[in-house]
Amino acid sequence: MEDNILNIQAYLDADEQKSLLRLLTAGSVDDGKSTLIGRLLFDSRKLYEDQLQALERDSKRVGNAGAGEIDYALLLDGLKAEREEGITIDVAYRYFSTNLRKFIIADTPGHEQYTRNMITGGSTANLAIILVDARSGVITQTRRHTFLVSLLGIKHIVLAVNKMDLVDFSEETFCKIKDEYLELTKKLGIEDVTCFPLSAKEGDNVVEKSERTPWFEGTSLLQYLETVPIDRDRNMQDFRFPVQYVLRPNLDFRGFSGKVASGIIRKGDEIMALPSRKTSRVKSIVTYDGELDYAFCPQCVTITLEDEIDISRGEMLVKPDNLPFVGRHLQTKLVWMDEEPMDRNKQFFLKANTNTTRATISAIDYRIDVNTMERLDGKDFKLNEIGQVQITTAKTLFFDAYQQNRSTGAFILIDPITNNTCAVGMIEKGLEETDFLQEDLPTLDLPKLGIAPEHYEAIEKAVKELSSQGLGIIIKK
């Protein structure tokens, strides 16, 4: 009996130590995204009996795979509209694990009108599977999805050339598609791309290597997913700790709780609190299970300091020799997600990590045609449109470039009236006051107005107060 208990405990401990891979699938309509994931779950024997029975029953009733065939896409396409139209509309999440790794799969829709759904599904992904139909090759949709994946900062891409059974598993066809796709990813700066010839419907190279592709020297898709290295994807160099909550259970304890966004922190390390820039040292790192000697992302911990520093929610702990950008002006890539078009005169709430502030869209540099990647002029954004904009915040933010640190380089814009998430953004860089495009902001030219220099300081103070309320005004002296 004791041996059984020990075996179960050992199994649970081992299961807890498995790494987690988050991945998304993307592709054009009918490329077989849902079918591929369904096949992955089915062939790896990760379905429960009731799921298998429901799958067989639904395949007979509403399946599109043919008489007597199992429609693996029904494992993910659960909405009535999805089953009627045979397409994916909403993001479907599926969890499964193997002996080597745990997986969370986001099956994202391929239609351009559901771009925001794909952005949502890919926001936390480590890897993207881009499907193409072997008969069609790289098409406009493929280019669009790859651009969106590069925008999200996903470092690993799998090109799944599906429906190889319909081209007689032709090596020439596969190589032609592979070469064209690698040329595209090279332009977008994506370095880690792996290509697979698949038949999701028949299971070739999905879980087991197929005998029908003797010319393919790679592993099966599942074997690759189990072994692709993702540990280095996290930023372990730049310590960032956005404070979520000040923990004060009694008079003798005052700690700062939150999630380590990036980097590593150890007991005794010197830290700096932003925006006050006051420094101290880490006294202890506390968790529910006891104290730690060090913590790293993405652990949730409480940090106590040797000195009394006034720190509250929204502020950030960093290391003095490794600071993020601190400022109010951002150059960002923005994805508009609201049904209502952008209103340039509206103030939004900008939420970045634990920090929330009012913000205005100061300038629109350009919109991007996601199908051709061409830059277009535009005065505002509509649903699913993407482009580069400049944003001014009411109070100071602490951030890194998104491509360097996804945790501290992302934000959302919230409509203060409806509370809808209007947009998601990826920060490209911070802008200095002198760099910032300010042609849309009102300007006070003090010399032109005949104001004496001794009054400049009082005017600047008054303007600074207005700026803290989100009203941007430029002063010329």
Side-chain angles (χ1 to χ4, degrees):
M1 182 67 176
E2 288 185 8
D3 289 343
N4 289 336
I5 293 173
L6 289 173
N7 289 337
I8 292 171
Q9 190 60 47
Y11 172 79
L12 293 174
D13 290 342
D15 188 66
E16 206 169 286
Q17 297 301 317
K18 291 179 187 175
S19 61
L20 172 65
L21 176 67
R22 296 176 180 269
L23 60 111
L24 73 85
T25 58
S28 185
V29 180
D30 293 331
D31 279 349
K33 300 181 299 296
S34 302
T35 303
L36 174 62
I37 299 174
R39 188 88 209 194
L40 202 60
L41 296 170
F42 186 86
D43 283 1
S44 58
R45 297 177 177 82
K46 299 302 175 185
L47 299 176
Y48 296 110
E49 285 295 328
D50 60 332
Q51 288 177 306
L52 287 171
Q53 291 169 6
L55 178 62
E56 291 173 0
R57 183 180 64 250
D58 291 346
S59 294
K60 292 176 183 176
R61 189 164 54 89
V62 293
N64 296 313
E69 297 287 332
I70 291 178
D71 187 352
Y72 300 102
L74 296 178
L75 282 168
L76 291 103
D77 291 340
L79 296 178
K80 184 179 179 182
E82 292 177 322
R83 295 188 169 196
E84 286 176 351
E85 299 180 41
I87 62 171
T88 299
I89 296 174
D90 198 6
V91 181
Y93 292 95
R94 283 295 177 269
Y95 168 87
F96 78 103
S97 66
T98 65
N99 293 334
L100 298 178
R101 182 171 270 173
K102 299 176 183 177
F103 301 90
I104 296 178
I105 306 177
D107 182 26
T108 61
H111 284 69
E112 185 174 353
Q113 71 192 83
Y114 302 123
T115 295
R116 62 177 174 178
N117 303 49
M118 180 179 170
I119 293 290
T120 303
S123 59
T124 57
N126 310 105
L127 179 145
I129 300 177
I130 307 291
L131 276 88
V132 298
D133 189 323
R135 298 168 299 177
S136 308
V138 176
I139 59 174
T140 302
Q141 291 273 54
T142 312
R143 298 177 185 277
R144 176 166 65 85
H145 293 144
T146 305
F147 167 70
L148 293 175
V149 165
S150 70
L151 186 69
L152 288 167
I154 297 174
K155 298 182 183 301
H156 310 281
I157 291 186
V158 167
L159 177 69
V161 183
N162 194 23
K163 304 187 181 182
M164 287 294 294
D165 53 308
L166 301 180
V167 294
D168 297 323
F169 294 94
S170 166
E171 180 182 7
E172 183 182 349
T173 301
F174 173 74
C175 290
K176 182 180 177 183
I177 295 171
K178 175 183 174 181
D179 292 343
E180 185 178 354
Y181 189 75
L182 290 177
E183 188 177 329
L184 168 65
T185 54
K186 187 176 180 181
K187 291 178 182 177
L188 292 171
I190 302 169
E191 297 177 357
D192 186 9
V193 183
T194 309
C195 306
F196 291 86
L198 305 175
S199 172
K201 184 179 178 182
E202 300 186 10
D204 293 274
N205 291 326
V206 178
V207 172
E208 301 290 342
K209 279 281 302 244
S210 173
E211 296 179 357
R212 297 197 279 186
T213 54
W215 42 265
F216 178 59
E217 297 178 355
T219 64
S220 71
L221 177 61
L222 181 60
Q223 286 175 298
Y224 172 79
L225 296 178
E226 286 181 322
T227 56
V228 59
I230 58 171
D231 296 336
R232 295 182 182 178
D233 293 352
R234 290 197 180 106
N235 184 327
M236 302 302 284
Q237 284 74 45
D238 307 317
F239 174 66
R240 306 285 185 259
F241 186 78
V243 176
Q244 182 175 351
Y245 182 71
V246 180
L247 189 62
R248 193 74 189 270
N250 55 57
L251 292 174
D252 301 320
F253 187 94
R254 184 166 182 263
F256 307 103
S257 302
K259 181 178 181 179
V260 182
S262 62
I264 304 171
I265 189 68
R266 294 177 174 83
K267 285 174 67 171
D269 281 358
E270 186 180 11
I271 61 94
M272 175 182 283
L274 296 176
S276 69
R277 302 182 76 88
K278 291 181 179 177
T279 59
S280 181
R281 290 193 178 274
V282 176
K283 183 179 179 182
S284 63
I285 302 171
V286 183
T287 69
Y288 178 80
D289 297 317
E291 291 194 17
L292 303 175
D293 290 329
Y294 61 92
F296 53 88
C297 64
Q299 287 180 297
C300 296
V301 298
T302 297
I303 295 175
T304 67
L305 304 178
E306 292 180 355
D307 305 288
E308 285 288 335
I309 299 180
D310 184 21
I311 301 173
S312 58
R313 175 182 170 85
E315 298 183 13
M316 184 180 284
L317 300 182
V318 298
K319 293 185 178 178
D321 59 349
N322 184 345
L323 300 180
F325 188 91
V326 179
R328 295 176 45 246
H329 303 306
L330 325 172
Q331 178 179 300
T332 73
K333 284 288 191 299
L334 200 71
V335 183
W336 195 253
M337 303 181 76
D338 201 348
E339 301 283 351
E340 292 292 323
M342 178 191 293
D343 182 354
R344 289 282 307 279
N345 298 317
K346 183 182 287 187
Q347 283 193 18
F348 301 93
F349 286 126
L350 184 149
K351 182 170 175 56
N353 284 305
T354 59
N355 205 342
T356 302
T357 178
R358 286 191 175 272
T360 54
I361 296 170
S362 324
I364 296 177
D365 296 333
Y366 54 82
R367 289 185 298 111
I368 300 172
D369 185 325
V370 291
N371 293 317
T372 63
M373 287 172 269
E374 182 185 358
R375 296 182 178 183
L376 308 171
D377 292 331
K379 294 183 179 179
D380 55 22
F381 282 34
K382 297 181 178 62
L383 178 63
N384 293 321
E385 290 188 333
I386 299 172
Q388 181 174 296
V389 305
Q390 298 181 20
I391 291 177
T392 300
T393 60
K395 67 179 183 182
T396 302
L397 293 182
F398 331 109
F399 53 87
D400 300 286
Y402 182 80
Q403 293 294 336
Q404 174 190 340
N405 195 335
R406 290 174 73 178
S407 299
T408 56
F411 65 90
I412 60 173
L413 291 182
I414 302 168
D415 189 307
I417 299 173
T418 65
N419 266 344
N420 288 341
T421 298
C422 298
V424 297
M426 287 70 75
I427 299 171
E428 294 189 315
K429 64 180 180 178
L431 298 170
E432 302 293 347
E433 297 283 347
T434 52
D435 299 332
F436 190 63
L437 294 181
Q438 306 180 31
E439 68 270 9
D440 292 338
L441 299 179
T443 302
L444 279 178
D445 192 331
L446 302 184
K448 195 172 182 180
L449 292 171
I451 297 173
E454 58 265 25
H455 299 307
Y456 287 2
E457 186 176 345
I459 292 173
E460 282 182 307
K461 187 176 180 181
V463 168
K464 190 174 182 181
E465 178 62 29
L466 288 172
S467 296
S468 69
Q469 300 173 27
L471 302 174
I473 298 175
I474 315 308
I475 292 182
K476 286 187 178 180
K477 295 187 284 186

